[in-house]
Amino acid sequence: MDKENILIVDDDKEIRNLIEIYLKNEGYNTIKAKDGIEALSVLQNNEVDLIILDIMMPNMDGIEVCMKVREEREMPIIMLSAKSEDMDKILGLTTGADDYVTKPFNPLELIARVKSQLRRYKKFNNNSADEQDIQTEGVMEIEDLMINTNTHEILVDGKDIKLTPTEFSILELLAENRGIVFSIRKIYEAVWKEEFFENDNTVMVHIRKIREKIEEDTRKPKYIKTVWGVGYKIDK
């Protein structure tokens, strides 16, 4: 089976080369770009399965690149940044990134994040003919919201909604367990498959993005309900 192509975008040559070494040791194919403009050019001419994207770059920063990529593509994006402030992380996730790693980082941790995102992406795109045959078995309907876990389609009042693989995984988790309240910790550990750290607002940012896409009024959500002090749920 062909290994996935991973695009490494960073203006620091040493970081690009370091990440490439670890990825190649895991058998991945790599493509490197020194800035956002070069990254977008690479995407026009190559099949890319995942992007590792630095935020602070000349010419075009990672935030702008992420926004442009998300206009057309759904592959996982892992943001890199020397900044550790919450607002920087929120900005990256809000523009469509799936995960966020702060520099300096442990290369082995980054590789673990890559593997996790690629597993989710494969599941997200696993639309085989056999799955199409059992399509109705994987359909969940919650009022005007329709979730098809076989084709990973989301419809709200008949309108097609585009979710990232991570957003879909969160929505699927809540929809499959209607009436059960999931804490932020439980959502994170179920979706990301790794230990949750206190004060990590990754889940809240993703919930907000999902609501912006599926809710008519995010201040009065119809589908994903907040149970204050506990977590989130979708009612039965």
Side-chain angles (χ1 to χ4, degrees):
M1 184 179 69
D2 293 338
K3 269 294 185 178
E4 293 87 348
N5 295 323
I6 299 179
L7 174 58
I8 307 164
V9 190
D10 198 300
D11 61 324
D12 189 319
K13 183 178 179 180
E14 291 186 2
I15 290 178
R16 292 198 305 271
N17 291 341
L18 174 67
I19 295 172
E20 180 180 44
I21 289 170
Y22 277 86
L23 288 172
K24 285 192 170 182
N25 283 343
E26 294 293 329
Y28 295 111
N29 300 318
T30 60
I31 309 171
K32 296 183 289 186
K34 65 181 180 298
D35 58 36
I37 294 174
E38 185 177 355
L40 294 178
S41 176
V42 167
L43 287 170
Q44 289 179 347
N45 300 296
N46 297 272
E47 289 294 327
V48 172
D49 298 291
L50 180 144
I51 304 173
I52 298 173
L53 180 62
D54 186 33
I55 289 183
M56 303 299 291
M57 295 185 295
N59 301 323
M60 181 185 293
D61 66 25
I63 298 296
E64 188 175 354
V65 175
C66 187
M67 293 174 66
K68 289 184 177 295
V69 171
R70 281 293 177 249
E71 290 175 1
E72 299 180 354
R73 300 167 185 258
E74 297 175 343
M75 82 279 282
I77 297 175
I78 300 176
M79 286 285 202
L80 297 179
S81 177
K83 296 182 178 179
S84 59
E85 290 85 354
D86 283 346
M87 285 308 298
D88 193 54
K89 179 175 183 178
I90 290 172
L91 184 58
L93 295 172
T94 300
T95 54
D98 295 278
D99 210 343
Y100 186 103
V101 176
T102 303
K103 297 178 182 178
F105 56 85
N106 183 333
L108 295 177
E109 178 190 351
L110 178 60
I111 297 303
R113 300 286 184 95
V114 167
K115 290 180 178 179
S116 176
Q117 290 297 330
L118 286 173
R119 282 195 299 269
R120 187 175 299 119
Y121 187 53
K122 285 180 181 179
K123 180 181 177 183
F124 186 81
N125 287 283
N126 188 18
N127 299 333
S128 67
D130 289 341
E131 286 177 320
Q132 297 290 343
D133 291 339
I134 60 171
Q135 179 173 334
T136 55
E137 295 181 13
V139 174
M140 294 180 283
E141 295 187 6
I142 305 161
E143 298 188 37
D144 295 327
L145 172 66
M146 189 279 286
I147 304 168
N148 190 321
T149 59
N150 295 317
T151 63
H152 287 84
E153 290 178 296
I154 302 289
L155 297 177
V156 176
D157 198 19
K159 180 182 178 182
D160 186 36
I161 304 297
K162 298 296 184 184
L163 298 184
T164 68
T166 303
E167 291 167 354
F168 186 92
S169 294
I170 293 172
L171 183 62
E172 181 182 16
L173 174 69
L174 296 176
E176 287 182 338
N177 297 277
R178 272 176 271 181
I180 298 175
V181 181
F182 281 81
S183 67
I184 290 173
R185 176 185 295 275
K186 286 185 177 179
I187 293 173
Y188 188 90
E189 293 179 350
V191 173
W192 275 264
K193 308 296 183 186
E194 60 184 51
E195 184 181 356
F196 174 79
F197 294 97
E198 296 298 336
N199 301 320
D200 190 316
N201 51 26
T202 301
V203 170
M204 289 186 289
V205 174
H206 279 83
I207 292 286
R208 189 174 73 194
K209 289 297 294 182
I210 297 169
R211 282 174 168 167
E212 288 173 357
K213 295 178 180 182
I214 70 171
E215 300 284 1
E216 184 176 346
D217 185 351
T218 56
R219 292 171 299 181
K220 298 178 181 178
K222 181 165 65 171
Y223 305 113
I224 300 179
K225 303 293 181 65
T226 299
V227 180
W228 295 106
V230 184
Y232 301 97
K233 69 172 181 175
I234 290 180
D235 288 330
K236 292 183 178 180

